[in-house]
Amino acid sequence: NAGVTQTPKFRVLKTGQSMTLLCAQDMNHEYMYWYRQDPGMGLRLIHYSVGEGTTAKGEVPDGYNVSRLKKQNFLLGLESAAPSQTSVYFCASKKERELYEQYFGPGTRLTVT
Amino acid sequence: EDKVVQSPLSLVVHEGDTVTLNCSYEVTNFRSLLWYKQEKKAPTFLFMLTSSGIEKKSGRLSSILDKKELFSILNITATQTGDSAVYLCAVEALTGTYKYIFGTGTRLKVLA
């Protein structure tokens, strides 16, 4: 039982390049989330999903897109990376809408130059 | 606007000391408050506090929720160097759907 995994762990992009971050969970959780963590800002919600085939915008969605084609996977895409997207990205999952905690992945450190 | 504020921002103590971390919140449709410990990587879950569970304890860590005054505290007694981490507070609120609002965290350093 690996929990929540993220790929890749580190990435350096040039401005304007695109990439996809992959989050996978093996706990059969319904809810999945993408956050970014910046110094002094705490964790901010980018997008989330309440089930396979659904996605919704969070607090800071601009410049990102997501897809949840399979229940266990939640992909975060950057179509045209900008230096402001330099951050640590965390994926999290939660069993369902009832009172359960979120489980976090190990994070992806992304630098955009 | 929903917000969660943690204090202090950082704290340095010596092993054996007791620390109290604070989390105050202003959210609509409060559902739960969660504490996480973040060392180098992923936040790990400590406690969840709700209307029906306003006090939790696990070993040297304990937490209470005051729903009237809108705050929570996390206490760590007999601190150890392994307690050094960033402690995150998050409030789950119903804004369209259930979402979490995180504070910026308290960085705790425990010196040997």
Side-chain angles (χ1 to χ4, degrees), chain A residues 25-51:
Chain A
Q25 52 93 5
D26 61 3
M27 297 175 283
N28 202 35
H29 284 179
E30 291 293 335
Y31 283 40
M32 295 186 76
Y33 309 80
W34 276 108
Y35 294 92
R36 59 179 289 174
Q37 187 175 39
D38 303 293
M41 299 287 288
L43 283 156
R44 292 184 292 169
L45 182 64
I46 305 171
H47 286 281
Y48 64 99
S49 168
V50 300

Side-chain angles (χ1 to χ4, degrees), chain A:
Chain A
N1 192 335
V4 181
T5 58
Q6 291 182 233
T7 310
K9 290 184 172 50
F10 305 94
R11 186 72 185 267
V12 179
L13 287 180
K14 291 187 183 345
T15 297
Q17 287 185 319
S18 64
M19 78 164 294
T20 299
L21 282 65
L22 171 63
C23 175
Q25 52 93 5
D26 61 3
M27 297 175 283
N28 202 35
H29 284 179
E30 291 293 335
Y31 283 40
M32 295 186 76
Y33 309 80
W34 276 108
Y35 294 92
R36 59 179 289 174
Q37 187 175 39
D38 303 293
M41 299 287 288
L43 283 156
R44 292 184 292 169
L45 182 64
I46 305 171
H47 286 281
Y48 64 99
S49 168
V50 300
E52 181 179 312
T54 75
T55 61
K57 293 181 181 179
E59 182 186 357
V60 287
D62 294 342
Y64 305 95
N65 56 73
V66 287
S67 65
R68 183 106 180 264
L69 298 179
K70 292 183 179 181
K71 186 176 184 178
Q72 62 267 33
N73 295 336
F74 195 29
L75 278 64
L76 178 71
L78 287 73
E79 289 185 348
S80 179
S84 61
Q85 294 178 304
T86 294
S87 189
V88 180
Y89 291 86
F90 286 99
C91 175
S93 71
K94 176 183 165 184
K95 184 174 181 179
E96 55 179 60
R97 73 184 296 272
E98 299 307 317
L99 286 166
Y100 294 100
E101 69 272 25
Q102 290 183 316
Y103 291 81
F104 284 85
T108 294
R109 183 174 293 277
L110 174 66
T111 302
V112 183
T113 61

Side-chain angles (χ1 to χ4, degrees), chain B residues 72-111:
Chain B
S72 174
I73 62 171
L74 176 67
N75 275 321
I76 309 175
T77 60
T79 51
Q80 303 170 357
T81 54
D83 295 326
S84 295
V86 174
Y87 290 84
L88 300 171
C89 173
V91 173
E92 186 185 18
L94 176 58
T95 51
T97 186
Y98 291 107
K99 292 198 289 286
Y100 297 87
I101 302 108
F102 281 82
T104 55
T106 293
R107 183 175 297 277
L108 173 66
K109 187 172 177 67
V110 182
L111 303 175

